[in-house]
Amino acid sequence: MIPLIKVFSKLASVRVGALVAATCIILIALPVACSQPDVRGLVFKYYLEALEASKSGIDVSEAVRLLNDALEKLESGDLADALSYVEKVPDSLSRARASFEEARRRTLLLASTLLALGLALAVVAYKRLPTLYARFMVWYLSQYRFRRVRGRRCSTLKSTIISEEVAAVLLAIIVVAGVFAISQVLMAGRVVEPFCALGTLGPHKKIGDYPSRVVVGEPVKLWIYVGNYMGYPAYFRVLVKLGDRSSVMSEKGFNAPLIASFERILAHNESTLIPLSFRVEREGTNLRHIVELWMYNETVGKFTFTNRWNQVLFNATRTG
């Protein structure tokens, strides 16, 4: 009886020791796990800051480039490099804001100088207007001369300067040209019809060289084109799905298995090419490689389907 008690006591001590060791490991690992930064959350946070800055006219292209580099590093699993890119974004936004404020101060100074100069010229013109008008009338009347018109007895007053009709035409041309120039200045940088673009390219980055037949288990290489012409930095999410004839589209995209996803932040009038490599694990005919474009919607606070998608049809066989 006593030996059994000793055995159980030893087992209990071993279990207690193991429990204590496991607890120590958890207590040591927990702060390390908690200290790991949420890089994707930081990317999203700084994107919103860059978006707000762009609404004020600030150039955030450098910050957008850093955020894109961070997203690419996240896709490759390099968390340290992704974090290093994200940590540079606040300084980039600060420099962009400072540069914008300096440019605005210079613009205000130039506008104030031109306004003061214009007022000074107006005052001078107002004070000297009677004298200038009298001199102009003397010069204007000196351009007229009398001559006899053939076939008539009376003399007619003719002018050697530009006629009133020609002057009116020239004035109209000047007014139209001025209105056109002002409208171009006011419309500069304004996007009339914002849109985003999505495309699928073949292995050689061309439209049309898509594979019509693939071998099960072998890699298939394609390229995805995304373009932003929305007028502001846009956060895109590209979903790649493998479907067939039964796949249908809804407001949530196609009901097909997801095989890959990518995220990119693009400035206005910027585009990118995303390399894609995937494998087909089953045989089939008329399989559909479907690419969907989603975009972050600031109004609803989440990514929404843009209804832009494209597909590549192919057959999958066991042998080449």
Side-chain angles (χ1 to χ4, degrees), residues 14-295:
V14 170
R15 290 183 178 180
V16 171
L19 181 61
V20 171
T23 304
C24 293
I25 293 174
I26 292 174
L27 292 176
I28 294 173
L30 184 60
V32 176
C34 294
S35 63
Q36 291 292 336
D38 182 11
V39 179
R40 194 171 296 275
L42 291 175
V43 169
F44 186 75
K45 172 187 174 182
Y46 292 140
Y47 162 71
L48 293 180
E49 292 185 9
L51 180 61
E52 289 298 322
S54 68
K55 293 179 181 179
S56 301
I58 300 175
D59 182 11
V60 296
S61 56
E62 182 183 6
V64 168
R65 179 183 59 80
L66 292 172
L67 292 174
N68 258 329
D69 292 340
L71 288 174
E72 292 180 4
K73 292 299 181 181
L74 281 177
E75 291 173 1
S76 62
D78 196 341
L79 183 62
D81 283 351
L83 181 60
S84 66
Y85 283 118
V86 171
E87 290 176 343
K88 298 177 183 178
V89 175
D91 292 337
S92 175
L93 290 176
S94 298
R95 290 193 300 270
R97 292 189 182 98
S99 177
F100 175 77
E101 292 297 332
E102 180 65 23
R104 185 167 64 175
R105 283 193 294 268
R106 292 179 180 177
T107 302
L108 290 176
L109 179 60
L110 178 61
S112 301
T113 303
L114 293 177
L115 179 60
L117 181 60
L119 291 175
L121 292 176
V123 171
V124 172
Y126 176 77
K127 290 184 177 180
R128 300 195 59 185
L129 184 60
T131 304
L132 294 175
Y133 178 74
R135 291 181 178 179
F136 172 75
M137 291 303 298
V138 171
W139 171 83
Y140 181 78
L141 294 175
S142 66
Q143 304 301 312
Y144 284 88
R145 60 184 176 85
F146 285 97
R147 71 174 183 176
R148 183 176 297 278
V149 180
R150 294 181 180 180
R152 296 182 182 179
R153 296 181 179 180
C154 61
S155 298
T156 306
L157 189 65
K158 295 292 183 179
S159 173
T160 59
I161 63 174
I162 301 176
S163 64
E164 294 181 358
E165 292 80 2
V166 176
V169 172
L170 292 177
L171 181 60
I173 294 175
I174 293 173
V175 171
V176 171
V179 172
F180 178 77
I182 294 174
S183 64
Q184 292 300 311
V185 172
L186 295 177
M187 294 295 294
R190 184 176 300 178
V191 180
V192 180
E193 295 183 2
F195 69 97
C196 53
L198 174 70
T200 301
L201 307 180
H204 304 290
K205 302 181 182 180
K206 296 180 180 179
I207 298 177
D209 63 337
Y210 310 114
S212 59
R213 183 168 58 90
V214 301
V215 178
V216 174
E218 292 189 0
V220 181
K221 296 182 179 180
L222 296 173
W223 292 83
I224 301 174
Y225 169 85
V226 180
N228 176 26
Y229 307 96
M230 299 296 296
Y232 58 86
Y235 196 156
F236 294 104
R237 177 177 291 170
V238 179
L239 301 183
V240 183
K241 300 179 179 180
L242 183 60
D244 50 30
R245 288 184 174 181
S246 63
S247 303
V248 294
M249 186 184 72
S250 66
E251 62 180 7
K252 297 182 180 180
F254 283 86
N255 59 339
L258 181 69
I259 60 175
S261 65
F262 306 93
E263 292 184 358
R264 293 293 185 272
I265 300 174
L266 300 179
H268 170 62
N269 206 26
E270 185 181 12
S271 61
T272 185
L273 282 176
I274 304 174
L276 171 66
S277 179
F278 67 98
R279 300 174 187 270
V280 180
E281 302 299 337
R282 63 183 177 90
E283 291 183 284
T285 58
N286 292 324
L287 298 180
R288 303 168 65 186
H289 172 271
I290 303 172
V291 181
E292 301 173 357
L293 184 62
W294 294 62
M295 186 174 65

